Amino acid sequence: ASLFNLLRDQFGEDTWLRTHYRSVDSIIGFARDEVYDSKINLAEKDVDTIDTPSHLKSDEMFVDEILNEPLAMVATTEEQGWRKRFGSPFNKQEAEVCDQLVARLIQDYGLDPSQVGIITPYRGQRNVIRDTLGNDYAVDVETVDGFQGRERDVIIYSVVGTDPGSLSFAGDQNRFNVAATRPKSKLVVVGNISRIGRKTKRNNILRSFIKYASDKNAVFSDLIHTLW
């Protein structure tokens, strides 16, 4: 439990922010509806969008279909793994997807590494993603707790889990909300939609996010196969 939750439970009061200044509407719209009971408003200010550069549009790379959206859900197919030295689950396929997205953003879109962050619930996955990126891309890769208080133009959230316990942890409302409210322009969630649908309870926030992304035609379930 966070310190905030302990204080809230002790004193029985919640004080929510009323105006959100960071994210574009389609990103904060999910938290507004699912977490904040539609009680927050989006500040009227310009937020830079990140679009595929015109000279790259002829490439027809699968990652651009994902990155053209301010919000996206990428469906993976592999199961989580476990290594003792990590002490937590990891998902190699999700790490490879993160690597592909980051490479396109930095090499071809021209983003600075400081504009991109990768968040995951597990230390093991944080380490696997860092190893996969290597020294090529100096983006911040952190656990949810490690990323609190920061923001980036682009945030990628790696769910990792495919069993009930791991998905319950990754789909904790407070934990996911921290990740989902860090980006200014683009949020990409990477996870096994099939397992989320079969292995989580109905109130798991990951299920709600998938529906939200689906309503915006931003679920990508077949593009992942081009990686493997």
Side-chain angles (χ1 to χ4, degrees):
S2 67
L3 178 59
F4 176 82
N5 287 335
L6 292 173
L7 291 171
R8 180 187 61 190
D9 293 342
Q10 179 175 351
F11 295 104
E13 294 184 6
D14 283 338
T15 301
W16 300 101
L17 74 162
R18 297 301 179 201
T19 304
H20 181 86
Y21 294 91
R22 179 182 296 126
S23 307
V24 297
D25 185 61
S26 57
I27 293 176
I28 194 58
F30 176 74
R32 178 183 58 211
D33 296 342
E34 293 293 326
V35 179
Y36 298 114
D37 298 323
S38 301
K39 294 179 180 178
I40 61 173
N41 300 308
L42 184 69
E44 294 184 6
K45 69 170 205 170
D46 293 331
V47 178
D48 292 334
T49 59
I50 298 171
D51 302 313
T52 304
S54 58
H55 68 281
L56 296 176
K57 290 185 177 179
S58 62
D59 289 2
E60 296 183 350
M61 290 187 66
F62 82 97
V63 290
D64 293 331
E65 295 187 44
I66 299 167
L67 295 174
N68 279 339
E69 304 296 331
L71 173 145
M73 177 76 212
V74 182
T76 52
T77 57
E78 297 295 311
E79 301 286 331
Q80 69 181 54
W82 180 278
R83 288 180 187 165
K84 187 176 181 180
R85 70 186 181 96
F86 293 145
S88 68
F90 72 96
N91 192 306
K92 185 63 175 176
Q93 187 185 39
E94 290 186 20
E96 294 285 353
V97 173
C98 292
D99 182 66
Q100 291 280 332
L101 294 170
V102 168
R104 187 65 165 171
L105 286 167
I106 294 176
Q107 288 187 351
D108 301 326
Y109 283 42
L111 268 66
D112 188 271
S114 65
Q115 293 178 267
V116 183
I118 303 176
I119 305 177
T120 181
Y122 295 103
R123 291 189 299 271
Q125 182 70 350
R126 177 197 62 190
N127 296 339
V128 169
I129 294 173
R130 286 177 177 176
D131 289 345
T132 303
L133 295 177
N135 297 321
D136 296 330
Y137 312 111
V139 303
D140 270 349
V141 184
E142 271 297 350
T143 62
V144 176
D145 292 338
F147 212 92
Q148 289 200 60
R150 308 186 208 177
E151 63 180 33
R152 292 291 183 272
D153 292 275
V154 181
I155 288 292
I156 303 168
Y157 182 71
S158 174
V159 174
V160 182
T162 55
D163 68 26
S166 299
L167 287 170
S168 177
F169 184 79
D172 172 80
Q173 177 173 285
N174 293 329
R175 184 170 292 110
F176 184 79
N177 188 51
V178 168
T181 55
R182 299 303 94 194
K184 293 187 285 186
S185 302
K186 201 175 294 294
L187 170 66
V188 181
V189 177
V190 183
N192 191 317
I193 287 180
S194 174
R195 290 295 182 264
I196 292 170
R198 292 168 54 189
K199 301 291 185 178
T200 62
K201 296 180 180 179
R202 291 186 179 277
N203 64 348
N204 188 292
I205 199 169
L206 294 172
R207 295 170 69 116
S208 300
F209 181 82
I210 293 169
K211 183 180 185 306
Y212 182 82
S214 179
D215 290 343
K216 294 183 176 297
N217 296 315
V219 174
F220 300 92
S221 58
D222 55 345
L223 300 177
I224 188 65
H225 297 297
T226 63
L227 282 173
W228 297 84

